[in-house]
Amino acid sequence: MIVAERKPIDEIIEKIKDYNKILLLGCNECVTVCEAGGKKEVGVLASALRMYFLNKGKEILIDEITLERQCDHEYLEEIRDRIDQYDAVLSLACGVGVQFMADKYLSTPVYPGVNTCFLGATEKRGLWTERCQACGQCILASTGGICPISRCAKRVLNGPCGGSTNGKCELSKELDCAWQLIIDRLKAMDRLDDYEKLADIKDWSSDRAGGPRKVVREDVQE
Amino acid sequence: MRLSYPTSIKIIRVPCTGKVDVIHILRSFEKGADGVYVVGCMEGDCHFNKGNFRARKRVEQAQKLLEDIGIGGERVKMYNLSSSEAPLFVEYAKEMSEKILELGPNPIKEAKKSLRGQNEAVSG
Ligand code: SF4
Ligand code: SF4
């Protein structure tokens, strides 16, 4: 999923302080799971902002809506008939949702309430870690299902580098060396022979290096 | 044991402090409460194992938020006691009540009053 984190409240306040009617828009998907922008977080932030402005002598209208998703026309259309009631939208969706909103409602200012961080997993409640950088040419088949693109600081394809010590990355003692993890996993599967095979040069044109990407599926288009 | 505690305190009963969420605490302040304290069972004694630990975390989250928005994090507190400790319940109630008296009323309440005053002045 996409992992995000709520922006510091003072940064949010700075952006919205001149508006009187704000729609605080949550998203029911990834940002709900990482506890950054779901219905609950919308409620808490709305309450906190209302109190902040009241305390400054300003009564501000903050309506709360949480959509199923903000990255699909279908759901984002649900607010079309009320969008004009607001001076601005504060979106707690990831950057995709915020941009889809901006595309769709051309004249309404929209502000991000979260920092979109990475594609990751919930290791445990309150701990999310990066697992994929959407490189567009997945090589997990040859790395024992562990991604050296997102989990190795140097994106080394034939690792580890010389900095790997006792299973940890030279970046920090807290951080597992991705290549150590790959070797351990290949060993566990009795596939260490695969480790001996040199990885081909990776085609990075499908990564960000090739500019903004798209996936086209004419077979499913209407 | 018919002990008395400050009459300013309103008790909201929940099945377990694990039920208390940040939004409940914030809404209390929005509605004008001067302070909120959560009284849970002793740590390690929760019937649902983690309820009071969760409550403590949420109290901490609410403290941080209230601090950030200028209402003051000290207006929220978590206490733990066992159900047989009535004198301690009273002691905590008094402690919290004194703390709130010292901090003064919830600024939101005052702000609402003065805004209402302004609006009336405009319409009158
Ligand atoms: S190899 Fe690429 S697509 Fe596969 S997990 Fe890593 S970054 Fe994601
Ligand atoms: S120590 Fe391991 S994870 Fe860190 S940069 Fe080197 S190979 Fe990559």
Side-chain angles (χ1 to χ4, degrees):
Chain A
M1 66 169 164
I2 295 170
V3 179
E5 197 177 14
R6 205 200 65 218
K7 279 183 177 286
I9 203 153
D10 46 348
E11 186 184 331
I12 296 178
I13 289 168
E14 188 50 38
K15 292 284 182 297
I16 62 163
K17 64 178 192 310
D18 296 328
Y19 298 113
N20 296 312
K21 291 178 194 155
I22 290 174
L23 174 61
L24 184 40
L25 199 62
C27 177
N28 243 337
E29 299 280 350
C30 311
V31 288
T32 295
V33 183
C34 62
E35 306 190 39
K39 196 172 176 197
K40 226 179 200 180
E41 291 73 32
V42 165
V44 167
L45 183 60
S47 172
L49 289 173
R50 271 193 299 265
M51 285 198 272
Y52 171 84
F53 286 109
L54 261 178
N55 202 20
K56 297 271 170 219
K58 181 177 175 183
E59 201 153 19
I60 179 171
L61 173 87
I62 302 182
D63 279 349
E64 306 166 25
I65 299 181
T66 299
L67 298 176
E68 201 51 43
R69 278 198 287 283
Q70 287 188 35
C71 52
D72 258 320
H73 289 294
E74 191 183 343
Y75 303 109
L76 211 45
E77 275 301 324
E78 289 172 10
I79 54 166
R80 177 155 312 271
D81 56 343
R82 4 192 345 190
I83 193 78
D84 291 338
Q85 297 169 20
Y86 304 104
D87 302 333
V89 173
L90 175 60
S91 166
L92 294 193
C94 72
V96 182
V98 175
Q99 292 182 62
F100 219 50
M101 175 84 216
D103 275 2
K104 202 180 251 309
Y105 300 111
L106 210 56
S107 57
T108 309
V110 55
Y111 295 93
V114 304
N115 289 321
T116 305
C117 304
F118 49 75
L119 302 182
T122 310
E123 284 202 23
K124 59 180 185 183
R125 196 162 171 206
L127 177 65
W128 295 274
T129 52
E130 181 163 24
R131 292 300 162 92
C132 174
Q133 286 184 352
C135 74
Q137 293 276 345
C138 193
I139 57 161
L140 288 176
S142 51
T143 56
I146 288 152
C147 170
I149 312 296
S150 57
R151 299 178 71 182
C152 162
K154 295 173 185 155
R155 294 179 150 197
V156 172
L157 290 180
N158 294 287
C161 73
S164 179
T165 315
N166 299 326
K168 298 295 172 189
C169 173
E170 65 179 333
L171 219 61
S172 120
K173 288 194 171 61
E174 312 286 302
L175 189 68
D176 288 329
C177 165
W179 272 98
Q180 183 66 53
L181 297 177
I182 293 171
I183 293 167
D184 292 347
R185 173 112 161 104
L186 290 175
K187 210 185 277 174
M189 294 187 297
D190 208 13
R191 268 180 44 199
L192 258 188
D193 286 351
D194 284 2
Y195 177 60
E196 302 288 322
K197 295 178 195 148
L198 277 186
D200 290 336
I201 292 174
K202 190 165 162 51
D203 172 6
W204 289 104
S205 66
S206 59
D207 189 73
R208 265 291 302 167
R213 299 164 284 177
K214 56 169 118 169
V215 172
V216 183
R217 282 273 313 271
E218 278 172 5
D219 60 329
V220 295
Q221 281 180 5
E222 281 169 15
Chain B
M1 242 193 275
R2 291 186 177 276
L3 303 174
S4 59
Y5 58 91
T7 51
S8 55
I9 289 168
K10 284 200 185 68
I11 294 187
I12 299 172
R13 289 163 51 161
V14 286
C16 166
T17 47
K19 173 77 191 155
V20 180
D21 222 322
V22 183
I23 191 67
H24 301 131
I25 300 175
L26 294 190
R27 286 266 155 81
S28 314
F29 283 97
E30 262 197 274
K31 287 185 172 171
D34 297 316
V36 172
Y37 68 107
V38 178
V39 188
C41 300
M42 298 302 285
E43 291 188 348
D45 279 351
C46 177
H47 199 73
F48 303 101
N49 298 333
K50 290 184 186 160
N52 46 6
F53 288 110
R54 291 203 167 117
R56 181 171 291 279
K57 289 265 178 184
R58 289 166 191 158
V59 163
E60 285 165 9
Q61 287 175 38
Q63 282 169 337
K64 163 120 204 351
L65 264 171
L66 289 166
E67 197 59 40
D68 285 351
I69 58 171
I71 309 294
E74 330 90 291
R75 292 180 182 275
V76 188
K77 198 165 171 164
M78 173 91 197
Y79 289 103
N80 297 86
L81 47 75
S82 86
S83 53
S84 59
E85 293 177 296
L88 202 55
F89 180 90
V90 172
E91 192 184 312
Y92 289 157
K94 283 186 181 151
E95 184 184 297
M96 194 65 193
S97 174
E98 274 158 27
K99 176 91 201 161
I100 296 301
L101 282 173
E102 185 190 309
L103 292 170
N106 173 358
I108 295 299
K109 207 163 47 180
E110 302 294 304
K112 270 190 188 164
K113 244 186 251 165
S114 78
L115 267 176
R116 216 172 294 144
Q118 279 174 23
N119 288 345
E120 272 160 24
V122 170
S123 62

